[in-house]
Amino acid sequence: TDLLDASLATDAGLLVALREPVAGKNTRVATIVRLDPETGAEKHRWPLVACEDPHPFLGPIVPAAGKLWTFFGRGPADATRDLMTLE
């Protein structure tokens, strides 16, 4: 598991993005984790199934227009990034 360059502090907790291995595959999936602001304990975990790649990139996370936005990229060899909402 690797920490990605996506995090956001809110009143509800801290959101961080991880890159986690996918069982039985040579890929990883970007996963958003919400941590409790008082204890640091994990409260929720959301694997972003559409963000599976051998080297997924995610971040930053930006709140705008009532939604959370981020960029997703497919490894260091591909400079393009897709803008997506975290809903």
Side-chain angles (χ1 to χ4, degrees), residues 14-42:
L14 178 67
L15 296 178
V16 295
L18 308 173
R19 182 170 35 209
E20 299 182 304
V22 177
K25 294 183 172 181
N26 191 23
T27 61
R28 294 173 174 240
V29 66
T31 301
I32 302 292
V33 178
R34 182 182 299 274
L35 303 175
D36 183 280
E38 294 181 22
T39 66
E42 182 179 310

Side-chain angles (χ1 to χ4, degrees), residues 25-79:
K25 294 183 172 181
N26 191 23
T27 61
R28 294 173 174 240
V29 66
T31 301
I32 302 292
V33 178
R34 182 182 299 274
L35 303 175
D36 183 280
E38 294 181 22
T39 66
E42 182 179 310
K43 290 178 72 175
H44 301 286
R45 177 177 292 257
W46 298 278
L48 304 175
V49 179
C51 298
E52 184 178 326
D53 189 77
H55 300 322
F57 288 125
L58 196 74
I61 300 173
V62 178
K67 296 181 180 183
L68 296 178
W69 298 85
T70 192
F71 289 98
F72 168 67
R74 296 189 178 279
D78 184 355

